[in-house]
Amino acid sequence: LAKTTQPISMDSYEGQEVNITCSHNNIATNDYITWYQQFPSQGPRFIIQGYKTKVTNEVASLFIPADRKSSTLSLPRVSLSDTAVYYCLVGEGKNTGFQKLVFGTGTRLLVSP
Amino acid sequence: ETGVTQTPRHLVMGMTNKKSLKCEQHLGHNAMYWYKQSAKKPLELMFVYSLEERVENNSVPSRFSPECPNSSHLFLHLHTLQPEDSALYLCASSQEEASGLRNEQFFGPGTRLTVL
């Protein structure tokens, strides 16, 4: 079973756009791709979710290619408070319903002044 | 405040102890989850309960025993744990649709467990 992988860490400066990619080449055909943010000593918090193409909300955009084997979380104009670990979450396998849920390996984003 | 609470927030136990972790969700959701988060590892799904029935059990050792008495409460009973079980244990809930498509999960703050 292929892992759901992400870059270990990324560095950025305030005001820049940050793009974090997740590779999930065993994603279930009927499952969403979801991204979460986690601060130290807290549980993950939902950022955005999509199935295909592009989704945008008030905090981020999510780009999903046609084959859905990867996804890119885009954070526009990051601030210091965006320093956190970012995880993608997908269901893997072929079964419907509660497929095997797999979190990505996580990307630690550090935003500097 | 996510609407999911966990107690205790911190727990230290010996390998021969028996303890329980508690999770409560105030969101009216129909699915609840236990995850394990170890240092330098991704979150690992342990158990899923949907409508109070266990629907997922990812080969978790029997020293971890979940219980879901109703849709708002979830327990994780611990006995004869090993030091490598030390981790952050996270509870989450979501509202699952009949279609099977997954809605966002709401996580509690976690219980930091240390096994001596």
Side-chain angles (χ1 to χ4, degrees):
Chain A
L1 203 63
K3 286 175 62 175
T4 302
T5 57
Q6 302 174 230
I8 294 175
S9 63
M10 297 183 71
D11 294 324
S12 182
Y13 293 97
E14 283 187 291
Q16 289 189 331
E17 179 185 76
V18 171
N19 296 306
I20 306 173
T21 298
C22 178
S23 172
H24 36 75
N25 54 16
N26 197 41
I27 185 172
T29 55
N30 64 338
D31 203 12
Y32 283 119
I33 298 161
T34 312
W35 282 80
Y36 290 85
Q37 176 192 55
Q38 187 177 25
F39 296 111
S41 302
Q42 295 184 24
R45 186 175 66 177
F46 173 85
I47 301 174
I48 196 167
Q49 180 174 266
Y51 184 76
K52 60 181 179 180
T53 63
K54 177 183 175 182
V55 179
T56 298
N57 63 20
E58 62 275 10
V59 298
S61 294
L62 179 59
F63 298 91
I64 304 169
D67 67 5
R68 300 190 351 109
K69 292 184 183 300
S70 66
S71 59
T72 299
L73 173 71
S74 181
L75 304 173
R77 299 178 298 281
V78 294
S79 63
L80 298 178
S81 62
D82 292 318
T83 293
V85 181
Y86 293 83
Y87 294 95
C88 60
L89 171 65
V90 300
E92 293 191 345
K94 297 181 180 179
N95 296 324
T96 57
F98 280 94
Q99 304 98 337
K100 180 177 173 64
L101 289 175
V102 179
F103 268 90
T105 47
T107 299
R108 188 173 302 274
L109 173 65
L110 175 62
V111 180
S112 300
Chain B
E1 184 61 52
T2 63
V4 180
T5 58
Q6 290 186 243
T7 53
R9 293 294 308 276
H10 300 272
L11 178 62
V12 179
M13 59 186 289
M15 290 190 285
T16 58
N17 291 158
K18 288 184 180 182
K19 297 286 185 183
S20 296
L21 310 184
K22 179 183 176 182
C23 176
E24 183 173 0
Q25 58 99 357
H26 311 274
L27 302 168
H29 289 163
N30 60 10
M32 297 187 76
Y33 310 73
W34 278 118
Y35 287 90
K36 176 183 179 182
Q37 187 172 33
S38 306
K40 301 181 180 179
K41 279 189 174 182
L43 288 89
E44 302 171 69
L45 179 64
M46 300 174 73
F47 302 103
V48 180
Y49 277 82
S50 176
L51 298 174
E52 301 159 40
E53 179 181 343
R54 190 191 306 180
V55 295
E56 195 73 37
N57 178 352
N58 283 345
S59 303
V60 179
S62 59
R63 57 185 184 269
F64 295 92
S65 174
E67 178 189 1
C68 188
N70 55 62
S71 60
S72 299
H73 294 86
L74 185 65
F75 295 89
L76 188 62
H77 304 299
L78 317 171
H79 63 97
T80 59
L81 295 191
Q82 305 298 312
E84 60 264 29
D85 296 321
S86 298
L88 181 68
Y89 288 85
L90 290 159
C91 173
S93 72
S94 69
Q95 183 62 27
E96 295 307 306
E97 306 298 334
S99 63
L101 286 177
R102 197 165 314 288
N103 289 317
E104 66 177 281
Q105 294 179 43
F106 291 79
F107 283 81
T111 295
R112 174 69 62 187
L113 174 67
T114 302
V115 182
L116 301 177

